[in-house]
Amino acid sequence: MAELALEMLNIRKEFPGIVALDDVSFSCRTGDIHALVGENGAGKSTLMKILAGVYHPDKGVIRLEGEAVRLNTPRDAQSMGIGIIYQEFNLLPWLSVAENILIGNLPKTRLGLVDWSRTFEAAQKALDRLEICLDLRDRVIDLSVAQQQLVEIAKVLSQHTHLSIIIMDEPSAVLAGHELEQLFDVIRTLKEQGVTIIYISHRLDEVFEIAEKVTVLQDGQVVGTDEVTNLNKSALIRMMVGRTLDETFPAPEGSVGEIFLKVENLSSSKMGLKDINFSMNKGEILGLAGLVGAGRSELAMVLFGVAPADSGEVWLDNQRISLVNPRKNIQLGMALVPENRKEQGLVLTQSVRSNTSLVVLDRLRDFFLLKEKREYEVVRKQVQEMNIRTPSLEQEVGYLSGGNQQKVALGKWLCSAPKLIIMDEPTRGIDVGAKAEIYQLMRELANKGTSIIMISSELPEIIGMSDRILVMSRGQIAGQLSRNEASEERILTLAIGETSVAACQPDEEMASEEEN
């Protein structure tokens, strides 16, 4: 039995009106990969921010290798060998890899200038420890998301002479395929060096692949801790949500309608898109798969009109849409739920009411005056239908859990009764319970005739939810797969560009498949 690297005993933390952690005890063995899971709002991030010195517990004791410690500031935690990698990267995109790794600790010459020789030497040492290869002179903005994640890890390593515990909060949220395997390789390398890793993730398959132990939090309390080998996915879900979830994806009802969206010869040099051609049917959920950087999000931005196109035409419900005017596209029935809800989908400092009514404000005005009573009626109805858990309609969205934030980001568009919804990573960073609700809502919308383009890095999600899948690679559509043809292997084969399939139109052949 390995020694305990960490003990957090009887931890309590309250915020105004909320008990975030109630008598939580959590411990990790030295050199273990210990998963921490639970629904959004369960208290995972709060517990880890206490360990990182960001928050102060109202009650409780923290012990490192058996000795009680006080972590009053993040610098205290850092000095004791505790590092944390947050879900949102904290990098300076216009600076080099070396500068980002050593940021705040750049070696200086006697004249106070940056000592570049020592900077590159120290940065290379951090990369070597992770057994990864990056060009230290490359700007971070030019790296892939997976490489940026590795720079974030290397930065944490460089800040510690002795790193004993590293907290990873949703480190795989934007990774898939070989990029995810590269992250796992780095985690295993750290484990071999004796580093204890606390791994927070909503992707339960990863828990079983990478972790030895798992602790489940629910409503600020510990439900249980067990060896991963003693559990299966169903048992872990029951611990998390207190009930059994149907793990199957909701099935389509009936056949899709006529062709509703047609994209012809769409290219954008700025977005790296080349000659995009496809169409989709009314009431169809069209999955858009591919590796990070393949051009999926870029295509969504161009279709919606917020990123420039060099050439091509897009037709929605037999009307040519504007590639430069999002407002007009909204009026035609388009909606975009972006990948980054916090920066692009929500105004975090505004209320649930203000965010939910944002898209339909024009319909709620009488000349220049907002009809507040009507606004409250519209928002209250949407909050109830989507089961958004909020203390009040005036609650700032930034204080809601990730799952409820995502529901608000989607709900504001549903107020406008869209005909086509582009959903970019619709379940990123949300728990299994909220995922099931989003899946059910998507299928209900499709069954009622709403067309949905779903971009996702989670292959089981793409396969389970899509009526048809387009796979992108290097800014082009590499091929399409029907619901029956789709498998993780076939999607990844297309995504890495080993082969391509030309036909991307939901033509009469597809219609006959649906009838059969």
Side-chain angles (χ1 to χ4, degrees):
M1 178 69 70
E3 295 181 358
L4 290 179
L6 167 70
E7 293 175 277
M8 301 181 76
L9 304 175
N10 310 114
I11 302 295
R12 183 178 178 85
K13 180 63 180 177
E14 293 185 42
F15 297 105
I18 300 173
V19 178
L21 297 171
D22 183 13
D23 198 35
V24 170
S25 292
F26 172 77
S27 62
C28 295
R29 298 179 302 215
T30 301
D32 262 9
I33 302 172
H34 194 125
L36 185 61
V37 301
E39 292 188 277
N40 292 110
K44 306 182 299 295
S45 294
T46 300
L47 184 65
M48 291 301 99
K49 285 180 179 178
I50 288 174
L51 179 58
V54 177
Y55 292 156
H56 301 267
D58 300 322
K59 178 185 174 184
V61 176
I62 300 175
R63 291 179 182 156
L64 297 176
E65 297 179 351
E67 292 189 18
V69 297
R70 291 183 62 86
L71 305 173
N72 295 318
T73 67
R75 188 170 292 276
D76 289 341
Q78 183 178 322
S79 67
M80 295 180 187
I82 300 170
I84 183 167
I85 298 171
Y86 295 103
Q87 185 174 351
E88 289 82 18
F89 295 160
N90 189 23
L91 300 172
L92 299 174
W94 300 103
L95 297 185
S96 69
V97 169
E99 289 169 298
N100 271 278
I101 291 175
L102 274 295
I103 197 72
N105 296 293
L106 291 169
K108 301 291 179 63
T109 65
R110 291 182 179 179
L111 298 177
L113 301 175
V114 175
D115 188 329
W116 291 109
S117 176
R118 290 167 58 203
T119 294
F120 285 118
E121 182 181 346
Q124 188 61 55
K125 186 179 296 184
L127 293 181
D128 289 345
R129 183 174 174 186
L130 296 174
E131 300 179 4
I132 57 177
C133 181
L134 290 174
D135 190 328
L136 294 173
R137 291 172 174 78
D138 281 349
R139 295 184 310 171
V140 163
I141 196 172
D142 297 323
L143 302 180
S144 70
V145 176
Q147 290 172 323
Q148 290 179 20
Q149 179 69 271
L150 297 178
V151 173
E152 192 77 65
I153 297 173
K155 183 177 74 173
V156 171
L157 288 181
S158 74
Q159 295 170 346
H160 299 79
T161 54
H162 172 64
L163 181 67
S164 57
I165 298 172
I166 186 167
I167 305 159
M168 296 186 174
D169 192 351
E170 296 283 351
S172 64
V174 293
L175 306 182
H178 73 280
E179 296 162 333
L180 188 58
E181 284 303 318
Q182 187 176 20
L183 173 65
F184 287 170
D185 287 342
V186 167
I187 290 174
R188 293 184 182 108
T189 298
L190 290 170
K191 172 183 167 59
E192 290 171 1
Q193 296 169 3
V195 177
T196 302
I197 296 158
I198 302 173
Y199 191 88
I200 301 175
S201 180
H202 288 302
R203 295 181 174 184
L204 300 188
D205 290 338
E206 296 177 6
V207 172
F208 290 95
E209 180 170 352
I210 198 74
E212 284 108 7
K213 294 190 76 171
V214 58
T215 292
V216 178
L217 290 182
Q218 184 184 78
D219 298 327
Q221 296 181 314
V222 174
V223 175
T225 298
D226 207 340
E227 303 288 335
V228 169
T229 52
N230 294 335
L231 299 168
N232 57 33
K233 191 173 179 180
S234 296
L236 189 54
I237 289 173
R238 282 196 298 273
M239 290 174 70
M240 290 173 61
V241 301
R243 64 189 188 279
T244 301
L245 288 180
D246 184 359
E247 293 185 61
T248 61
F249 295 93
E253 297 177 7
S255 59
V256 296
E258 68 279 1
I259 288 179
F260 184 69
L261 174 73
K262 183 175 290 187
V263 179
E264 297 179 340
N265 306 314
L266 186 65
S267 295
S268 171
S269 55
K270 184 174 182 179
M271 295 290 106
L273 302 176
K274 294 170 285 187
D275 198 29
I276 302 292
N277 290 274
F278 72 92
S279 61
M280 68 179 298
N281 299 88
K282 185 175 182 179
E284 179 182 20
I285 297 180
L286 180 67
L288 205 56
L291 301 178
V292 173
R296 300 166 302 163
S297 297
E298 290 79 0
L299 177 57
M301 302 295 273
V302 171
L303 287 176
F304 197 62
V306 295
D310 301 326
S311 61
E313 295 182 350
V314 179
W315 298 80
L316 179 70
D317 201 14
N318 295 318
Q319 295 185 72
R320 185 176 177 178
I321 71 170
S322 171
L323 294 175
V324 294
N325 192 336
R327 180 182 291 274
K328 184 177 179 181
N329 294 338
I330 292 171
Q331 293 170 350
L332 291 174
M334 288 187 72
L336 172 63
V337 183
E339 177 182 15
N340 190 330
R341 60 177 173 261
K342 292 186 176 181
E343 292 185 8
Q344 300 170 322
L346 297 168
V347 184
L348 296 179
T349 56
Q350 295 295 314
S351 66
V352 172
R353 172 182 57 81
S354 298
N355 275 274
T356 306
S357 64
L358 195 60
V359 178
V360 293
L361 281 178
D362 289 344
R363 306 179 193 180
L364 301 173
R365 284 197 176 111
D366 189 357
F367 293 101
F368 296 104
L369 297 176
L370 180 65
K371 295 185 284 188
E372 292 186 357
K373 183 177 179 181
R374 177 60 180 149
E375 182 190 24
Y376 271 99
E377 290 174 356
V378 170
V379 173
R380 188 177 292 108
K381 181 174 182 290
Q382 198 62 56
V383 167
Q384 290 173 348
E385 289 182 352
M386 299 199 66
N387 191 28
I388 298 171
R389 297 170 189 171
T390 175
S392 76
L393 299 185
E394 298 306 316
Q395 175 69 45
E396 284 187 22
V397 167
Y399 290 104
L400 298 183
S401 68
N404 286 302
Q405 286 182 0
Q406 186 69 1
K407 290 179 185 179
V408 174
L410 175 57
K412 75 174 185 182
W413 288 107
L414 296 185
C415 288
S416 68
K419 300 175 183 177
L420 169 67
I421 307 176
I422 304 171
M423 304 180 72
D424 195 348
E425 302 289 357
T427 65
R428 172 175 294 168
I430 66 176
D431 59 71
V432 289
K435 278 187 177 184
E437 291 180 290
I438 295 290
Y439 294 151
Q440 189 61 44
L441 177 61
M442 289 172 64
R443 184 51 68 186
E444 289 173 0
L445 289 168
N447 290 338
K448 293 176 182 176
T450 303
S451 301
I452 299 173
I453 297 177
M454 181 185 71
I455 301 168
S456 178
S457 298
E458 295 192 35
L459 294 184
E461 179 174 271
I462 278 280
I463 294 170
M465 284 301 300
S466 303
D467 299 314
R468 187 165 51 98
I469 300 169
L470 302 183
V471 184
M472 292 193 68
S473 177
R474 301 179 182 91
Q476 295 179 300
I477 293 179
Q480 76 162 337
L481 297 167
S482 69
R483 188 179 180 91
N484 294 331
E485 293 172 332
S487 68
E488 293 192 22
E489 182 179 359
R490 298 190 73 173
I491 290 173
L492 287 173
T493 298
L494 289 169
I496 62 178
E498 290 189 358
T499 185
S500 64
V501 182
C504 292
Q505 308 297 326
D507 51 17
E508 295 176 0
E509 182 179 339
M510 178 183 172
S512 64
E513 280 186 21
E514 294 287 346
E515 291 173 4
N516 294 333

